[in-house]
Amino acid sequence: MKSLFDWLDDRTGWRRIAHEALSENIPGGARWRYVWGSTLTFALVAQFVTGMFLWMYYSPSATSAWESVYHIQHVAAGGWFLRGLHHYMAQAMSILLVLHLLQVVIDGAYKAPREVNWWFGVGLLFLTLALSLTGYLLPWDQKGYWATKVSTNLAALTPFVGPEVQRLIVGGADYGHHTLTRFFALHAGVLPAATVALVVGHVALFRRHGITPKRPLRKPDAAFWPDQVLADAVACLAVLATVVFFTVRHHGAELSAPADPSEEYPARPEWYFLFLFQFLKYFSGHTEVWGAIIIPSLLAVVLGAMPLIARWRMGHRFNLVFLGLLLAGAGFLTWQARREDRGNPEFQMAVQRAERDAARAVSLVQQSGGIPPEGAAAMLRQDPLTQGPKLFARNCASCHRFDGHDGLGQARTEEITAATGDTWASLAAARSSSEAQLRAMNPQVGTVAAGTKLRVPELISASDLAGFGSRAWLAGMMDPAQIAGLHFYGGTKFKDGKMVKYVREKVPKYSPAQREQLQQVIQAVSAEAQLPAQAEADLRDAAGIEAGRKALRESLGCTDCHAFRRPDEDATAPDLTGWGSREWLVGMITDPTHDRFYGKRNDRMPKFGRDGVLSPLAVGQLADWLRSAPASQSR
Amino acid sequence: MKLSSGPVVPGEPRRIFFKAAAAAAIGGVLGLVPVLTGVWVWLDPVRRRTHSGAGAFLRVATLESLPADGVPRRFAVVAEKIDAWTRTPQTPVGAVYLRRTSDGTGPGKVTALNVVCPHAGCFVDYQASRTGYFCPCHNSTFAVNGAIDMPSSPSPRGLDELAVEIRGREIWVQFQNFQTGRADKVALS
């Protein structure tokens, strides 16, 4: 073994290199405060290793980036862990950078003759931030897409050459394949190469000038090996343990829904850029360039000039104060940004919707055993469960509700002025809400008096469609106590119509036999809907359904007004043939004024399909989503 | 932790040895975690046996498109393909030579050969002039029935024959690819 090492030493001189690397003198011996540079080097190497393996799976294009990251995250064994290491190590690096910077400034290690090394360090700081920024876009998910879009739009504010700079970064006028190929080349090629070059220079100059010891020296000098190496290794291990902890706790990095320019997303940058994001809020339209470009650039210039400022008698103190204020300011802005988001229910709802889309995208891919060649965003755009609630919220929820909300889980509210005699209780009753709910909506209001401005749930003016087509929904409608309520006809002109009159006058007088028949009619009409969630029950109750069909025509006389399974020119109410089925719902949404539905009696419902408000695809998605509610969701 | 090496005292070499050993051990962990994670993920394709539809019969042609003259004709094999994350419903996954011979009754006999040369995986040509197949890469030659026709042929086995079923007027082939470079047929999965 020894002769082999001797041979190798003779050919390479490795012993001298190793000795030089490890025998570096540490004045005053090893100390914990010197570990930060080593932890950053370790983090950088770990990023290169994990990044290289991620590269073997990643595919940079607008129809394959999210898809390949999905594969890493959910298909390749251990992929989530690899991606998590890379993601959280990047976050650890930004913290370690700040710690390293602080230690260098506090210990005065940036002053002459180490100016050039300081500039290398500042360069590395910006390179690392650029690596984070470019990496954030690569998964091509909503989160990265919208956040990066904001930063590249800000680049367009650069004086004189802004639009050209933006086109160069984005690879064209709009985000697409070339944005990804460019960002990926930067992230995996240009920036790492520049980082390596600067690190080599940084370490070489550090060795040339030696460590800047913290005075007074507490112990005799010692060599780098093994004391300082051990301290560095322990610190690196702590970094790694933290990164592994977060990776396991969050099951790797988040992958939100595939990027889609037509879907909203509350764009927020990664947390270490939040201070810049918040800072921008304080600049009005035409002064934005100050917040986005000029002030940050000036701060960067001061950072770079620190060694020169330090020549001045009070310079070092100025630098310390400047850095302290900069960090405190950034910390305050970050806290402020978080606080604003936490107190913003609309932001929270938007985050929830985005998470819902992300989860749906994953389960959709898993169900269909793969992603179509057009990509996952296209798949999500076709999906009724994703699009249905959004279409409902945009087009239907101004009158209808879905289980009390707008389809996306949000309550619709409006502001009113209380009249004389209004109390919490009377308002709660009038708005089919509860006192507690009203008080929660108006935390600033103590007691209600005439003229008090209050936020209250908007009144529903058409039926609540959660569970439409189900037996439970129909049973509610055939209940004399409920039919004229807001969940059914209460908000429409039909509240004084024949159906309401019939249910309120005739149903309470039903004999036990007729009650039994009513249950069968409910089963029979609901069976027309052929709801997937009710298929089993429909099969089980086939006999009752058959009896219901008969009762509906004969003893209960539904066909006096409704048509059922045969043409009926005298029918004045919606056709019960296929009531609630996909075909029936599509027809109803397309044109409620068709003779088969409300005809001339239609009360305000728009002809969504016939007037071109919704495409046939959208109408179908709405119908599919309304019919997809699990049986448990039907009232 | 006390880190500095003080003045030389008895037991010092042992203390340095333990520190060096601890530093080396931790260094090993630091290196191994990212590297082993990466290698483990990288090895995923070796562990994964994807369902490539191998072994299923696929509709390739109709009897009308294949005259019973004993001359091989080439047809694309179209099937659902799962390529990593992408699922393509109908896309070419390979090609076969079909050849129909007639005994005068019924539809006759149809044989199917995979176009892939069993030597190194090139696409073999059918050459009417020599009534046989010829591989343009390393000059393997095969008779019209797919058997090796010259002892000097580099291919270790004849062209891979695939099972055929005639369903009505349709020709269905059990499409499969096989490992190249060996004398026996081993299906790829």
Side-chain angles (χ1 to χ4, degrees), chain B residues 25-164:
Chain B
I26 296 173
V29 171
L30 295 176
L32 283 179
V33 170
V35 170
L36 287 185
T37 305
V39 169
W40 177 252
V41 179
W42 177 66
L43 287 175
D44 187 66
V46 180
R47 294 190 299 264
R48 191 171 293 278
R49 286 284 174 265
T50 47
H51 172 72
S52 56
F57 275 91
L58 301 167
R59 201 195 79 101
V60 172
T62 57
L63 287 173
E64 282 67 29
S65 58
L66 186 67
D69 55 7
V71 177
R73 285 174 179 79
R74 202 171 81 201
F75 294 88
V77 177
V78 173
E80 173 180 277
K81 184 175 183 182
I82 294 178
D83 175 8
W85 55 83
T86 305
R87 189 168 68 95
T88 314
Q90 289 291 303
T91 194
V93 293
V96 289
Y97 285 107
L98 295 183
R99 177 169 168 259
R100 178 147 75 113
T101 47
S102 174
D103 53 4
T105 60
K109 185 178 182 315
V110 176
T111 52
L113 297 173
N114 196 324
V115 298
V116 172
C117 179
H119 174 228
C122 292
F123 198 120
V124 300
D125 287 333
Y126 176 71
Q127 294 184 336
S129 56
R130 57 203 292 172
T131 329
Y133 302 92
F134 174 74
C135 179
C137 293
H138 309 100
N139 303 342
S140 292
T141 57
F142 307 91
V144 73
N145 66 359
I148 291 174
D149 64 351
M150 274 195 277
S152 61
S153 179
S155 180
R157 64 173 191 263
L159 290 175
D160 295 315
E161 191 168 344
L162 302 168
V164 176

Side-chain angles (χ1 to χ4, degrees), chain A residues 19-235:
Chain A
H19 182 260
E20 224 167 71
L22 295 172
S23 67
E24 151 109 25
N25 181 50
I26 315 266
R31 297 186 68 152
W32 286 109
R33 62 192 304 128
Y34 304 147
V35 301
W36 304 118
S38 296
T39 57
L40 277 166
T41 314
F42 161 67
L44 190 67
V45 172
Q47 290 302 73
F48 284 166
V49 172
T50 50
M52 212 78 84
F53 283 107
L54 286 170
W55 194 343
M56 297 193 189
Y57 281 90
Y58 179 68
S59 169
S61 90
T63 50
S64 65
W66 186 92
E67 292 72 5
S68 61
V69 176
Y70 164 85
H71 189 89
I72 295 170
Q73 185 72 19
H74 297 283
V75 181
W80 65 270
F81 188 75
L82 178 67
R83 186 167 164 256
L85 285 186
H86 196 72
H87 177 80
Y88 289 107
M89 193 61 91
Q91 316 222 342
M93 271 186 91
S94 52
I95 298 173
L96 294 171
L97 274 169
V98 171
L99 294 172
H100 186 46
L101 186 93
L102 273 175
Q103 177 254 326
V104 165
V105 174
I106 291 170
D107 288 358
Y110 66 104
K111 291 192 262 188
R114 298 181 174 84
E115 298 97 324
V116 177
N117 210 12
W118 169 258
W119 293 327
F120 278 175
V122 173
L124 283 167
L125 170 74
F126 287 112
L127 279 176
T128 311
L129 293 181
L131 278 163
S132 297
L133 194 88
T134 48
Y136 203 49
L137 176 72
L138 296 183
W140 205 245
D141 59 351
Q142 285 283 78
K143 200 176 160 182
Y145 180 87
W146 289 105
T148 313
K149 212 148 194 201
V150 173
S151 17
T152 52
N153 284 335
L154 292 176
L157 294 175
T158 312
F160 311 117
V161 290
E164 285 74 23
V165 167
Q166 188 191 20
R167 275 186 93 90
L168 276 178
I169 298 173
V170 170
D174 199 6
Y175 267 42
H177 295 318
H178 277 152
T179 319
L180 276 170
T181 50
R182 280 170 179 246
F183 268 64
F184 189 46
L186 284 175
H187 185 78
V190 179
L191 296 173
T195 305
V196 168
L198 283 196
V199 166
V200 169
H202 198 61
V203 173
L205 286 182
F206 163 69
R207 297 306 287 251
R208 178 183 159 87
H209 297 297
I211 204 163
T212 311
K214 176 72 183 160
R215 300 198 183 271
L217 302 182
R218 295 188 304 201
K219 291 177 193 129
D221 290 7
F224 183 54
W225 173 263
D227 289 8
Q228 188 64 50
V229 173
L230 180 60
D232 289 0
V234 170

Side-chain angles (χ1 to χ4, degrees), chain A residues 270-322:
Chain A
E270 199 58 299
W271 63 265
Y272 39 86
F273 288 122
L274 267 183
F275 70 100
L276 284 173
F277 160 84
Q278 181 71 13
F279 190 55
L280 264 188
K281 291 187 191 169
Y282 303 113
F283 293 86
S284 63
H286 54 285
T287 58
E288 207 182 2
V289 65
W290 284 89
I293 312 269
I294 300 177
I295 296 177
S297 301
L298 288 177
L299 294 176
V301 168
V302 176
L303 201 64
M306 274 191 177
L308 308 178
I309 297 171
R311 294 169 157 208
W312 173 43
R313 202 167 53 85
M314 298 293 285
H316 180 59
R317 287 198 187 156
F318 170 85
N319 286 337
L320 283 175
V321 171
F322 171 77

